[in-house]
Amino acid sequence: MTDPNAIQPSELDQLPDRDPEETAEWRASLDAVARAAGPHRAAYLMRRTLERAEGTGVALPKLLETDYVNSIPTAAEPAVPGDEALEARITAWNRWNAAAMVTRGSKYGVGGHIATFASAAWLYETGFNHFFHGKEGDGSGDQLYIQGHASPGIYARAFLDGRLTEQHLDHFRQEAGGNGLPSYPHPRRLPWLWEFPTVSMGLGPLSAIYQARFNRYLTNRGIKDVSSSHVWAFLGDGEMDEPESTAALALASREGLDNLTFVINCNLQRLDGPVRANFKIVQELEAQFRGAGWNVVKSLWGTAWDELFQLDTTGALLRRLRQVPDAQVQTYQTRDAAYIRQDFFGADPALAEMAKLLSDDKIVECFHFSRGGHEARKVYAAYKAALEHKGAPTVILAQTVKGHTLGDGFASKNANHQMKKLTVDEFKAMRDRLDLPIKDSDFADGQVPYGHPGADSPEVRYLQERRAALGGPAPARRVHPLAPLPAPADKAFASFDKGSGTQNVATTMAFVRLVKDLVRDKETGRRWVPIVPDEARTFGMESLFPSLGIYSPKGQTYEPVDRDQLMYYKEAKNGQILNEGITEAGSMADFIAASSSYATHGEAMIPFYIFYSMFGWQRTADQMWQLGDQLGRGFLVGATAGRTTLTGEGLQHADGHSPVIAATNPAALSYDPAFAYEIAVVVKEGLRRMYGEAAEGEDQNVFYYLTVYNEPLPQPAKPSGLGIDEGIVKGLYRFNTAESAGLSAPANAPRIQLLGSGTAIHWALTAQRLLAEEWGVAADVWSATSWTELRRDALEADAALLRGEERVPYVRQALQGAEGPVLAVSDYMRQVPDQIAQWVEQDWSSLGADGFGLSDTRDAARRHFGVDAESIVVAALAQLARRGEVKTSAVKEAREKYGL
């Protein structure tokens, strides 16, 4: 009979054995252990052997999963410096005030979360007391990505520290009247405290990885040495289900980001119940992170478990801990000692014998309270190990109890995420549990009081001394006064004023040419951060490879296949381009880090991220909202824009709606430029507004979204006359009239105003000629560079009128006196130009590419959507016919003539 465990010849062929006799001895030894001591002992020895091999540098596949115990043995835990008793008091006050804040606000129905911070309190407090560097010391300090649902605890600590008052706490989630506190970390709402918005969930971990990576980028490029900054991301175990949470783990490992630590609060619960009811989320996460190349530190059990592990001479306890699913662990949290004896210990005879040595109080202490994430010593050991580990990022898996210290009504209950308040009696029990000096009489009229030991108390003095030693308050956002960046020379922008002559140039290429000139600027050129998701060649950016270099922390360790070519693929440690591969989410995370560097590091950077427009707002609009919330600045460029411009690619690539989504973001200034000189004007204005001398009352914390096209077309010269640049920036100007275009039409000919944006203006210009030459209609053509900015200006004018101020919307001013009706057209759905319809005094009509895209030629696609020049002519005639200015028969005649 063949031994099923024997190495088969095919395996030997792939892995030659130079000493079969020695191999046989090792295998025989393993078999002997399995027979004599059981398979569990054999598995134990194998795990320890693999760990030893990994620790000594032997090249073996990594062990993806370890026992369900702490990574750092109790005997190896370092002593916690400082006063542990005072730190416990500080934590108790913060627990109390976090719960009081949410409870007091619950009477207004504004919501809030209590249980998350209750589980994570020591994870934050240990960091604030010993690890998190503030911004008042050297460098930029640490970057803290706070778990959104834990915000009440951060506010409670700021209250204890004197940075917030009771009035602030009483306005948690009530911001309208001033002095309010936003629900979650929102820099736009509380910019002196919060740096990073971490809700929506999943965006925090993704952004933290790219922030740590961007820190290395700044250092390696010589912009600023931020090597002392550490990025800490606090996450929930349920949050790790978000695809973004784990999307960039390999990047962090590949680039050796040991300046990054994830702290995952494994309270085993998500919003509705257990994270992994039938499985073990800690083990799953450990395997996932180890497989991605991260250093993993598990802090699962508190000191009460030390006695149990010492009694486990057979390994039965370890086996049982690996077997019990998370939902059953939650059940133990709510059951008495008798139940735990029967269900947990009774599953194995060896455990049953162990349980006889344990009191009921000991069992309850272990299973109800003692978790690694609830003890400063355990957390300190994990954090210290994370900072000392070099060459890879670290994830700390800290097991906690959701609702810890809040009482039996909260702890580990499935509904505790939705529970917003404690009763007075529950608060009194919590007070006794935390040993806080709060009297019954302090509960006036049933209102829970805030607690504070006094500004000169030992707790507050200790807290402030620890923060002073670590570089000041945290979290904190600081925008140091920066001198405006000098404006690039006008030559870079003015070169587009003369047009392209007989050369056809796509606006995507025009933008790239402009950037090529701007990155050469001696003053600001090095501050540009080009970001592209593996499409640089599509956008004509390959010429930047050898001149700017593609950023890689390893430089270029190979000879590129195209080294003998002028535009060879060049990677460099100080490379300027961030070529992220096929990840729009990663590219946006890059952009966010770069766009807020002016605040995070006191270094203004100018990111531009160029992408297929279809895969920008549609795919990563949540991150673009995050960008606005983080007060980021820079240029988003949606290339290959429009629904009919990208020939052959079809509906999945045909963007007809990104300006609609962009219009929903108040921080996004959205432009759809038609010509190269318009791009130059918009970029110049964007540089002035975001990085230069902003006008009084002007918000610099905006970002620009430009749509550019891949259709090569003649680029006209910039029209002469006053107000062109102003019109481009505000969103509308008259490009020409029928007369200035040299078109002849009968005296008193019917007239119409054609408004076009982006590539659609070329169809409008052709329609202008057809209307004059074939139908005797005079048309003026307007370039609508930004429908969205026109609408916003009009909305502001309406609001001003309600305040009693006289103000006319710019779009109405621009079109004042323009004869005839208005027909608007774009390469997007009609909803885009229709944004301004209600403020146009003339008769309004619009055309657009509504519906799904399709694969075909540009002409066929435009005919399909009814936006080509001939369709514009027919629509114009129909509009004039309704006004009685042309014969109704002309519309039918035109349809037949053009085959519509």
Side-chain angles (χ1 to χ4, degrees):
M1 181 178 293
T2 303
D3 181 356
N5 297 316
I7 297 179
Q8 301 302 312
S10 60
E11 295 180 62
L12 289 172
D13 291 341
Q14 297 297 321
L15 188 63
D17 189 346
R18 294 182 297 179
D19 193 341
E21 184 176 346
E22 183 183 33
T23 303
E25 290 175 358
W26 276 77
R27 298 183 69 235
S29 297
L30 182 62
D31 293 342
V33 172
R35 285 192 301 269
H40 297 295
R41 177 60 180 169
Y44 176 85
L45 291 175
M46 287 300 298
R47 284 198 298 273
R48 293 297 175 262
T49 302
L50 286 171
E51 289 172 357
R52 176 65 176 171
E54 184 177 332
T56 56
V58 176
L60 283 174
K62 290 192 175 183
L63 191 65
L64 296 185
E65 204 174 306
T66 60
D67 287 319
Y68 203 67
V69 294
N70 296 347
S71 301
I72 303 170
T74 301
E77 292 171 357
V80 180
D83 191 324
E84 292 188 58
L86 272 180
E87 291 180 19
R89 298 279 291 173
I90 291 168
T91 305
W93 285 117
N94 291 339
R95 287 182 182 279
W96 176 272
N97 288 322
M101 178 196 326
V102 177
T103 298
R104 287 168 69 122
S106 66
K107 65 182 179 182
Y108 301 109
V110 294
H113 303 286
I114 301 177
T116 296
F117 177 73
S119 66
W122 276 113
L123 302 180
Y124 291 107
E125 294 299 330
T126 304
F128 286 130
N129 288 328
H130 301 286
F131 292 96
F132 304 157
H133 289 91
K135 295 183 175 298
E136 294 174 5
D138 295 334
S140 302
D142 290 348
Q143 288 83 59
L144 308 180
Y145 288 77
I146 304 295
Q147 190 179 0
H149 292 136
S151 63
I154 308 305
Y155 291 139
R157 196 172 210 277
F159 169 64
L160 204 66
D161 194 15
R163 294 198 289 164
L164 293 176
T165 66
E166 286 193 14
Q167 184 182 19
H168 287 113
L169 300 192
D170 264 347
H171 286 81
F172 174 58
R173 294 192 171 202
Q174 300 172 69
E175 300 179 75
N179 292 322
L181 300 178
S183 53
Y184 303 124
H186 290 311
R188 188 169 285 274
R189 300 304 308 161
L190 200 63
W192 61 268
L193 180 72
W194 298 120
E195 274 195 288
F196 307 109
T198 51
V199 177
S200 290
M201 286 188 285
L203 298 188
L206 179 67
S207 293
I209 290 174
Y210 281 89
Q211 181 65 56
R213 198 283 195 92
F214 188 74
N215 290 357
R216 291 279 174 85
Y217 172 89
L218 285 181
T219 301
N220 288 337
R221 286 198 55 217
I223 303 291
K224 182 179 182 180
D225 185 356
V226 295
S227 55
S228 61
S229 291
H230 198 84
V231 178
W232 300 83
F234 289 84
L235 319 168
D237 46 2
E239 181 178 7
M240 300 310 294
D241 282 346
E242 290 283 5
E244 295 89 349
S245 294
T246 55
L249 297 187
L251 167 71
S253 171
R254 185 170 63 247
E255 300 203 359
L257 298 180
D258 51 21
N259 60 339
L260 169 69
T261 298
F262 276 15
V263 181
I264 302 182
N265 177 19
C266 297
N267 57 35
L268 313 185
Q269 286 185 249
R270 52 191 181 197
L271 275 61
D272 288 332
V275 179
R276 293 290 183 271
N278 295 297
F279 306 94
K280 301 191 79 63
I281 186 59
V282 168
Q283 300 300 92
E284 177 183 320
L285 292 173
E286 178 183 27
Q288 191 170 20
F289 278 86
R290 283 189 185 276
W294 286 52
N295 176 46
V296 178
V297 177
K298 293 197 289 193
S299 182
L300 307 181
W301 307 111
T303 53
W305 282 83
D306 290 347
E307 179 183 345
L308 276 68
F309 289 125
Q310 290 170 2
L311 294 172
D312 184 28
T313 59
T314 66
L317 179 60
L318 291 182
R319 292 196 298 273
R320 185 65 177 138
L321 288 174
R322 287 175 62 87
Q323 292 168 356
V324 177
D326 284 352
Q328 189 64 20
V329 174
Q330 300 295 82
T331 298
Y332 294 148
Q333 175 70 35
T334 62
R335 300 300 179 91
D336 60 17
Y339 177 89
I340 299 171
R341 284 183 187 276
Q342 178 182 352
D343 190 86
F344 182 82
F345 292 98
D348 187 292
L351 288 180
E353 289 299 314
M354 179 192 297
K356 294 177 182 178
L357 304 174
L358 303 174
S359 68
D360 284 355
D361 287 346
K362 182 67 174 181
I363 289 175
V364 169
E365 180 185 10
C366 287
F367 283 83
H368 284 205
F369 307 112
S370 186
R371 299 292 188 272
H374 294 324
E375 295 187 12
R377 179 171 178 173
K378 305 292 184 183
V379 176
Y380 182 88
Y383 286 7
K384 189 171 186 292
L387 291 182
E388 291 175 351
H389 186 84
K390 301 303 176 185
T394 294
V395 60
I396 295 170
L397 304 176
Q399 186 164 262
T400 65
V401 174
K402 193 167 185 177
H404 184 60
T405 74
L406 296 179
D408 293 339
F410 263 83
S412 290
K413 295 297 178 66
N414 281 340
N416 61 18
H417 191 80
Q418 307 302 328
M419 298 161 68
K420 313 298 182 188
K421 59 185 178 181
L422 279 72
T423 65
V424 169
D425 287 342
E426 288 172 328
F427 266 110
K428 290 179 178 179
M430 181 182 176
R431 170 201 62 190
D432 297 339
R433 197 176 302 116
L434 298 175
D435 193 25
L436 290 173
I438 297 173
K439 302 185 294 292
D440 285 354
S441 58
D442 293 334
F443 291 82
D445 301 322
Q447 176 84 297
V448 55
Y450 294 120
H452 200 292
D456 196 40
S457 64
E459 294 95 324
V460 174
R461 288 201 308 271
Y462 180 86
L463 182 156
Q464 293 175 341
E465 287 168 2
R466 292 306 307 140
R467 289 312 316 158
L470 288 165
R477 182 177 183 272
R478 296 285 185 270
V479 181
H480 300 285
L482 297 176
L485 293 183
D490 278 340
K491 181 180 178 181
F493 304 103
S495 63
F496 292 90
D497 290 354
K498 61 183 179 181
S500 63
T502 58
Q503 182 184 10
N504 289 339
V505 177
T507 51
T508 296
M509 184 55 65
F511 176 82
V512 171
R513 288 183 182 178
L514 175 61
V515 169
K516 286 179 183 177
D517 290 338
L518 293 176
V519 296
R520 295 190 189 105
D521 185 83
K522 291 182 180 180
E523 296 291 336
T524 60
R526 71 191 190 110
R527 296 191 177 274
W528 284 85
V529 184
I531 304 168
V532 59
D534 200 36
E535 287 283 4
R537 298 182 193 278
T538 300
F539 307 138
M541 293 174 59
E542 63 268 32
S543 62
L544 297 177
F545 289 169
S547 59
L548 300 184
I550 299 166
Y551 173 74
S552 170
K554 291 185 177 296
Q556 192 153 36
T557 61
Y558 59 92
E559 183 178 356
V561 68
D562 55 358
R563 184 62 181 86
D564 57 342
Q565 298 179 16
L566 180 63
M567 293 184 287
Y568 70 96
Y569 196 82
K570 177 186 175 183
E571 294 188 85
K573 189 173 182 179
N574 63 346
Q576 192 165 349
I577 302 169
L578 292 173
N579 193 328
E580 290 305 350
I582 306 174
T583 168
E584 287 83 4
S587 299
M588 270 304 302
D590 263 336
F591 187 91
I592 291 169
S595 71
S596 52
S597 179
Y598 71 93
T600 308
H601 295 299
E603 294 287 347
M605 304 300 286
I606 311 171
F608 80 86
Y609 165 36
I610 186 168
F611 50 89
Y612 266 62
S613 64
M614 183 65 166
F615 307 132
W617 287 88
Q618 174 169 298
R619 179 165 290 188
T620 60
D622 199 10
Q623 287 177 283
M624 290 161 176
W625 192 269
Q626 178 191 10
L627 166 65
D629 203 1
Q630 198 164 314
L631 290 79
R633 306 169 184 174
F635 297 95
L636 296 175
V637 183
T640 62
R643 183 148 279 164
T644 70
T645 307
L646 190 58
T647 55
E649 294 285 357
L651 65 89
Q652 204 167 39
H653 286 65
D655 173 25
H657 52 279
S658 66
V660 177
I661 308 175
T664 66
N665 191 312
L669 278 61
S670 180
Y671 286 86
D672 186 26
F675 306 123
Y677 65 80
E678 293 178 351
I679 292 173
V681 170
V682 171
V683 170
K684 182 179 181 180
E685 168 64 9
L687 290 172
R688 179 204 64 79
R689 177 166 178 174
M690 296 185 290
Y691 301 99
E693 294 282 0
E696 183 179 353
E698 193 172 42
D699 185 5
Q700 285 189 282
N701 299 316
V702 296
F703 60 92
Y704 283 68
Y705 174 56
L706 283 71
T707 46
V708 293
Y709 300 82
N710 71 324
E711 185 174 10
L713 291 165
Q715 295 298 323
K718 185 177 180 180
S720 59
L722 298 174
I724 298 296
D725 284 9
E726 180 189 19
I728 292 171
V729 171
K730 290 191 171 181
L732 183 68
Y733 69 97
R734 181 155 48 194
F735 176 73
N736 70 12
T737 63
E739 292 75 17
S740 66
L743 300 173
S744 59
N748 300 319
R751 186 172 290 269
I752 190 168
Q753 308 299 317
L754 302 180
L755 277 58
S757 69
T759 196
I761 201 168
H762 296 277
W763 322 331
L765 289 169
T766 301
Q768 178 190 44
R769 178 179 55 79
L770 293 175
L771 283 166
E773 295 176 354
E774 300 182 7
W775 305 99
V777 172
D780 301 337
V781 175
W782 299 69
S783 180
T785 53
S786 180
W787 308 101
T788 302
E789 288 306 298
L790 291 173
R791 175 179 175 81
R792 288 175 176 171
D793 171 81
L795 289 172
E796 290 175 5
D798 286 355
L801 285 174
L802 292 177
R803 296 192 299 267
E805 304 171 17
E806 288 295 329
R807 183 174 164 190
V808 179
Y810 174 79
V811 64
R812 188 169 295 167
Q813 296 178 45
L815 290 171
Q816 186 174 15
E819 298 178 36
V822 168
L823 174 60
V825 60
S826 79
D827 203 11
Y828 301 94
M829 52 199 303
R830 288 176 60 183
Q831 186 175 340
V832 174
D834 284 349
Q835 290 181 87
I836 65 170
Q838 71 184 83
W839 293 281
V840 174
E841 293 180 315
Q842 293 86 344
D843 290 343
W844 173 270
S845 184
S846 65
L847 297 175
D850 287 76
F852 288 108
L854 76 165
S855 300
D856 212 312
T857 65
R858 293 187 179 109
D859 289 343
R862 288 160 187 167
R863 176 57 58 92
H864 169 80
F865 286 109
V867 292
D868 59 349
E870 291 80 5
S871 297
I872 294 173
V873 170
V874 172
L877 292 174
Q879 206 170 0
L880 292 168
R882 285 193 295 273
R883 294 163 57 94
E885 297 180 24
V886 301
K887 295 180 179 179
T888 304
S889 59
V891 181
K892 180 180 179 183
E893 183 182 348
R895 281 202 304 268
E896 293 174 349
K897 177 181 179 69
Y898 300 131
L900 298 178

